[in-house]
Amino acid sequence: MSNFNFDELTQRRNTSSLKWDTIADGEVIPLWVADMDFRTAPAVTEALRRRVDSGIFGYVDVPEKYYEALISWFKRRHSWEIDRSRVIYTSGVVPAISAIIKALTVPGDGVILQTPAYNCFFSSIRNNGCRNIENPLLRVEEEEGFTFRIDFDGLETLAADPRNKLLILCNPHNPTGRVWGKAELETVRDICRRHDVRVVSDEIHCELTHAGYSYVPYGVIDEEAIVCCSPSKAFNTAGLQIANIVCPDSKTQARVDRAINDNEVCDVNPFGVEGLMAAYNQGAEWLDALKVYLDDNYAVLRRVVADRLPGWKMCNSESTYLAWVDVSATGMTGDDMERYLLENAKVRVSSGSIYGSPGYIRINYACPRRRLEEALLRIGNL
């Protein structure tokens, strides 16, 4: 039995919440953008309260204990030894990736994506004048549902093109929920090294693996990679705007640091610093309880899709709180389904078109179970 109340029906409407307040209709249940309807770990809240009590919110000098918290967490939880001297802090993983692309490419270069892919990757590449080079994941049908694997032959071909300079890896993968295994990551490393393609790994969802699956830090596999991480997804602290880039060498670090400064994302706020330290130093018990709750929510969603929603087929997720669902058998595109559910069920999901897969939708099930069940009842009654 958990000591934390994930069943609490938190009220987020009229709190300037992107998830809840961008649609005026108060009846809509939002299951779209990737933040959770749970209060963060009590240790994080307490740390932020202490910082508020100071009453002064000037520029922050990131302390050494910040790095100690980061390094200790990844060593304890994931056996990844992060070099303190190779860490750059910034305001988020998306700004980090944009700065890395700026640092390591020139306009016109190709950046490889494994699609479907997180929508901000596409814009980060375009905004730096580079070309989106898609290497679609291969769908694999299973007895129930389906999964995805990397098209290594396709990756080899694209990496061999000297115009393609970077690969953005999502580990674990959003939106499919795949947790890449050690052998898969080693193959990615070997292909990219053969062709002098640098790998940038977004590991923002690394803590949210389902039971029976383990995240492998790409930095353990490939010492030449640039890795981006943040506690924001696991601890529901995206608004605190804090993330870290782990660079492999001083030359790469200097280039990335220059781009971070050029893009003006070199300063962070004191709440992000305090939140990260509290999460990584005292948040493990809360996170472990959260993962159990999310696994149970995922089971509820799978059951309803199987029993009540003909034409829907779920990807067999291994991580995240984001379900990837094929709705093409209904005759609708993802855009059609997003509109249909919003108008008729008053439930908001995300169309797969923004991730490069128009026949799918993405559902965020990180909410109190009663709220999820109500949303699914509305959908199932259509």
Side-chain angles (χ1 to χ4, degrees):
M1 186 64 135
S2 172
N3 294 322
F4 308 103
N5 184 15
F6 298 109
D7 287 321
E8 179 190 2
L9 289 173
T10 50
Q11 298 304 316
R12 301 188 62 193
R13 199 169 293 284
N14 300 317
T15 64
S16 300
S17 163
L18 175 68
K19 183 178 183 180
W20 282 83
D21 289 332
T22 52
I23 289 184
D25 188 342
E27 297 300 313
V28 171
I29 299 175
L31 304 180
W32 65 294
V33 70
D35 79 10
M36 302 188 286
D37 287 341
F38 307 123
R39 298 183 189 276
T40 189
V44 174
T45 303
E46 291 162 9
L48 298 181
R49 185 175 292 116
R50 288 193 298 270
R51 190 67 181 84
V52 168
D53 287 344
S54 75
I56 300 173
F57 312 113
Y59 298 115
V60 64
D61 179 24
V62 175
E64 192 60 32
K65 60 185 179 179
Y66 171 94
Y67 299 96
E68 293 169 358
L70 170 73
I71 292 166
S72 176
W73 175 270
F74 278 96
K75 183 176 180 180
R76 292 193 321 270
R77 300 279 293 198
H78 307 299
S79 300
W80 180 25
E81 300 262 5
I82 294 175
D83 183 343
R84 155 71 179 86
S85 68
R86 295 288 173 256
V87 176
I88 302 172
Y89 58 78
T90 186
S91 57
V93 166
V94 172
I97 288 173
S98 292
I100 293 165
I101 295 171
K102 181 183 182 72
L104 302 181
T105 66
V106 297
D109 283 348
V111 179
I112 303 168
L113 293 175
Q114 315 273 11
T115 52
Y118 177 47
N119 54 297
C120 289
F121 293 165
F122 295 100
S123 56
S124 290
I125 294 167
R126 287 195 305 269
N127 292 343
N128 281 286
C130 294
R131 296 174 295 115
N132 284 294
I133 306 298
E134 297 188 22
N135 183 47
L137 297 174
L138 300 176
R139 176 165 159 167
V140 180
E141 301 301 319
E142 298 189 321
E143 186 173 345
E144 292 184 7
F146 58 94
T147 188
F148 289 90
R149 63 180 177 85
I150 296 171
D151 180 357
F152 291 118
D153 291 337
L155 180 58
E156 185 90 49
T157 298
L158 294 175
D161 185 336
R163 298 172 298 173
N164 298 332
K165 304 299 186 183
L166 292 180
L167 166 69
I168 298 180
L169 179 70
C170 197
N171 176 41
H173 189 264
N174 170 25
T176 69
R178 267 303 314 274
V179 176
W180 306 119
K182 182 172 182 286
E184 291 172 301
L185 295 176
E186 288 174 338
T187 304
V188 169
R189 175 201 64 198
D190 294 345
I191 290 172
C192 290
R193 283 188 179 178
R194 271 197 295 275
H195 302 291
D196 198 27
V197 171
R198 299 295 298 272
V199 179
V200 182
S201 188
D202 171 3
E203 310 204 341
I204 198 170
H205 291 280
C206 68
E207 307 301 340
L208 298 172
T209 50
H210 296 331
Y213 296 94
S214 297
Y215 147 77
V216 179
Y218 189 70
V220 171
I221 301 298
D222 183 357
E223 295 180 353
E224 298 176 9
I226 306 101
V227 178
C228 303
C229 57
S230 171
S232 62
K233 296 303 178 192
F235 289 92
N236 206 28
T237 56
L240 298 184
Q241 297 188 313
I242 194 77
N244 294 286
I245 305 167
V246 182
C247 296
D249 56 75
S250 58
K251 182 179 178 181
T252 300
Q253 183 176 16
R255 293 172 68 179
V256 172
D257 191 54
R258 178 70 265 160
I260 287 285
N261 281 270
D262 287 347
N263 286 1
E264 304 293 357
V265 288
C266 50
D267 292 320
V268 292
N269 75 70
F271 297 103
V273 173
E274 294 293 340
L276 180 144
M277 292 189 296
Y280 285 164
N281 287 333
Q282 300 169 275
E285 183 183 359
W286 180 89
L287 177 61
D288 291 340
L290 169 72
K291 290 171 64 174
V292 172
Y293 194 91
L294 289 175
D295 280 2
D296 290 342
N297 271 7
Y298 177 64
V300 168
L301 176 57
R302 287 196 68 95
R303 185 167 60 249
V304 171
V305 168
D307 294 346
R308 300 288 305 278
L309 298 170
W312 290 34
K313 193 172 185 180
M314 284 186 62
C315 181
N316 295 325
S317 181
E318 300 167 357
S319 65
T320 81
Y321 49 75
L322 305 165
W324 188 236
V325 186
D326 181 353
V327 295
S328 58
T330 66
M332 293 187 185
T333 65
D335 288 346
D336 294 335
M337 185 62 74
E338 179 183 338
R339 285 191 297 269
Y340 178 73
L341 295 180
L342 183 59
E343 292 170 3
N344 296 280
K346 294 189 181 296
V347 174
R348 186 177 185 185
V349 299
S350 297
S351 170
S353 63
I354 64 172
Y355 311 106
S357 293
Y360 295 76
I361 59 173
R362 195 187 77 170
I363 302 174
N364 175 352
Y365 54 86
C367 60
R369 193 153 305 132
R370 283 171 55 196
R371 184 168 289 156
L372 177 64
E373 289 171 341
E374 169 62 23
L376 295 175
L377 180 63
R378 293 183 188 183
I379 294 170
N381 284 339
L382 292 177

Short mmCIF file of all heavy atoms in Angstrom, two decimals, residues 100 104 166 198-202 218 222 224-228 245-248 252 256:
data_model
loop_
_atom_site.label_atom_id
_atom_site.label_comp_id
_atom_site.label_asym_id
_atom_site.label_seq_id
_atom_site.Cartn_x
_atom_site.Cartn_y
_atom_site.Cartn_z
N ILE A 100 22.35 21.92 -29.01
CA ILE A 100 23.29 20.90 -29.49
C ILE A 100 23.30 20.85 -31.02
O ILE A 100 24.36 20.75 -31.65
CB ILE A 100 22.95 19.53 -28.88
CG1 ILE A 100 23.19 19.55 -27.37
CG2 ILE A 100 23.77 18.43 -29.54
CD1 ILE A 100 22.54 18.39 -26.63
N LEU A 104 26.65 21.56 -33.37
CA LEU A 104 27.31 20.46 -34.06
C LEU A 104 26.95 20.33 -35.53
O LEU A 104 27.36 19.37 -36.18
CB LEU A 104 27.03 19.15 -33.32
CG LEU A 104 27.47 19.11 -31.85
CD1 LEU A 104 27.15 17.76 -31.24
CD2 LEU A 104 28.94 19.44 -31.70
N LEU A 166 23.94 14.13 -37.45
CA LEU A 166 23.48 13.78 -36.11
C LEU A 166 22.35 12.76 -36.17
O LEU A 166 21.60 12.71 -37.15
CB LEU A 166 22.94 15.01 -35.37
CG LEU A 166 23.86 16.14 -34.96
CD1 LEU A 166 23.05 17.21 -34.24
CD2 LEU A 166 24.98 15.63 -34.06
N ARG A 198 27.17 11.78 -34.98
CA ARG A 198 27.08 11.96 -33.53
C ARG A 198 25.67 11.61 -33.05
O ARG A 198 24.68 11.93 -33.72
CB ARG A 198 27.41 13.40 -33.13
CG ARG A 198 28.78 13.86 -33.50
CD ARG A 198 29.88 13.11 -32.75
NE ARG A 198 29.82 13.29 -31.33
CZ ARG A 198 30.41 14.30 -30.66
NH1 ARG A 198 31.07 15.24 -31.32
NH2 ARG A 198 30.36 14.37 -29.35
N VAL A 199 25.59 11.02 -31.88
CA VAL A 199 24.29 10.66 -31.29
C VAL A 199 23.98 11.61 -30.14
O VAL A 199 24.80 11.83 -29.25
CB VAL A 199 24.29 9.21 -30.79
CG1 VAL A 199 22.93 8.87 -30.16
CG2 VAL A 199 24.58 8.24 -31.94
N VAL A 200 22.77 12.16 -30.19
CA VAL A 200 22.22 12.97 -29.10
C VAL A 200 21.06 12.19 -28.52
O VAL A 200 20.09 11.91 -29.22
CB VAL A 200 21.73 14.34 -29.61
CG1 VAL A 200 21.22 15.19 -28.44
CG2 VAL A 200 22.82 15.06 -30.38
N SER A 201 21.14 11.83 -27.25
CA SER A 201 20.12 10.99 -26.65
C SER A 201 19.27 11.77 -25.65
O SER A 201 19.78 12.31 -24.67
CB SER A 201 20.76 9.79 -25.93
OG SER A 201 19.77 8.88 -25.50
N ASP A 202 17.96 11.83 -25.93
CA ASP A 202 16.99 12.45 -25.02
C ASP A 202 16.50 11.37 -24.07
O ASP A 202 15.82 10.43 -24.48
CB ASP A 202 15.83 13.02 -25.85
CG ASP A 202 14.66 13.49 -25.00
OD1 ASP A 202 14.74 13.44 -23.75
OD2 ASP A 202 13.63 13.89 -25.58
N TYR A 218 22.27 5.60 -22.44
CA TYR A 218 23.07 5.52 -23.66
C TYR A 218 24.50 5.96 -23.41
O TYR A 218 25.43 5.51 -24.09
CB TYR A 218 22.43 6.34 -24.78
CG TYR A 218 23.10 6.11 -26.11
CD1 TYR A 218 22.96 4.88 -26.76
CD2 TYR A 218 23.90 7.08 -26.69
CE1 TYR A 218 23.60 4.64 -27.97
CE2 TYR A 218 24.55 6.85 -27.90
CZ TYR A 218 24.39 5.63 -28.54
OH TYR A 218 25.04 5.39 -29.74
N ASP A 222 27.79 4.39 -25.19
CA ASP A 222 28.54 5.18 -26.16
C ASP A 222 29.16 6.39 -25.47
O ASP A 222 28.47 7.37 -25.18
CB ASP A 222 27.59 5.62 -27.28
CG ASP A 222 28.29 6.38 -28.40
OD1 ASP A 222 29.51 6.62 -28.28
OD2 ASP A 222 27.62 6.74 -29.38
N GLU A 224 30.96 8.57 -26.66
CA GLU A 224 31.06 9.72 -27.55
C GLU A 224 29.75 10.48 -27.68
O GLU A 224 29.68 11.50 -28.37
CB GLU A 224 31.54 9.27 -28.93
CG GLU A 224 32.91 8.62 -28.93
CD GLU A 224 33.31 8.10 -30.29
OE1 GLU A 224 32.60 8.37 -31.28
OE2 GLU A 224 34.35 7.41 -30.37
N ALA A 225 28.70 10.01 -27.01
CA ALA A 225 27.37 10.59 -27.16
C ALA A 225 27.18 11.81 -26.28
O ALA A 225 27.88 12.00 -25.28
CB ALA A 225 26.30 9.55 -26.82
N ILE A 226 26.20 12.63 -26.65
CA ILE A 226 25.73 13.73 -25.82
C ILE A 226 24.37 13.31 -25.26
O ILE A 226 23.49 12.92 -26.04
CB ILE A 226 25.59 15.04 -26.62
CG1 ILE A 226 26.90 15.38 -27.32
CG2 ILE A 226 25.17 16.17 -25.70
CD1 ILE A 226 26.90 15.02 -28.79
N VAL A 227 24.19 13.36 -23.95
CA VAL A 227 22.98 12.86 -23.31
C VAL A 227 22.28 14.00 -22.59
O VAL A 227 22.91 14.78 -21.87
CB VAL A 227 23.30 11.72 -22.32
CG1 VAL A 227 22.02 11.25 -21.63
CG2 VAL A 227 23.96 10.56 -23.05
N CYS A 228 20.95 14.08 -22.77
CA CYS A 228 20.13 15.10 -22.12
C CYS A 228 19.18 14.42 -21.14
O CYS A 228 18.52 13.43 -21.49
CB CYS A 228 19.31 15.88 -23.15
SG CYS A 228 20.31 16.66 -24.42
N ILE A 245 22.81 18.58 -19.67
CA ILE A 245 23.47 17.97 -20.83
C ILE A 245 24.77 17.36 -20.33
O ILE A 245 25.56 18.03 -19.66
CB ILE A 245 23.78 19.03 -21.90
CG1 ILE A 245 22.52 19.78 -22.32
CG2 ILE A 245 24.45 18.38 -23.11
CD1 ILE A 245 22.81 21.03 -23.14
N VAL A 246 24.98 16.09 -20.65
CA VAL A 246 26.24 15.42 -20.29
C VAL A 246 27.04 15.27 -21.58
O VAL A 246 26.63 14.56 -22.51
CB VAL A 246 25.98 14.06 -19.64
CG1 VAL A 246 27.31 13.41 -19.23
CG2 VAL A 246 25.08 14.20 -18.42
N CYS A 247 28.16 15.95 -21.64
CA CYS A 247 29.00 15.98 -22.84
C CYS A 247 30.13 14.96 -22.72
O CYS A 247 30.61 14.67 -21.62
CB CYS A 247 29.57 17.38 -23.05
SG CYS A 247 28.32 18.64 -23.37
N PRO A 248 30.61 14.44 -23.85
CA PRO A 248 31.63 13.38 -23.78
C PRO A 248 33.06 13.87 -23.67
O PRO A 248 33.95 13.11 -23.26
CB PRO A 248 31.42 12.64 -25.11
CG PRO A 248 30.92 13.69 -26.05
CD PRO A 248 30.08 14.61 -25.21
N THR A 252 33.62 19.09 -27.39
CA THR A 252 32.16 19.09 -27.60
C THR A 252 31.49 19.98 -26.58
O THR A 252 30.58 20.76 -26.90
CB THR A 252 31.60 17.66 -27.49
OG1 THR A 252 32.22 16.84 -28.49
CG2 THR A 252 30.10 17.64 -27.69
N VAL A 256 28.96 23.14 -27.28
CA VAL A 256 27.58 23.13 -26.79
C VAL A 256 27.35 24.28 -25.82
O VAL A 256 26.32 24.97 -25.86
CB VAL A 256 27.24 21.77 -26.12
CG1 VAL A 256 25.88 21.82 -25.43
CG2 VAL A 256 27.26 20.65 -27.17
#
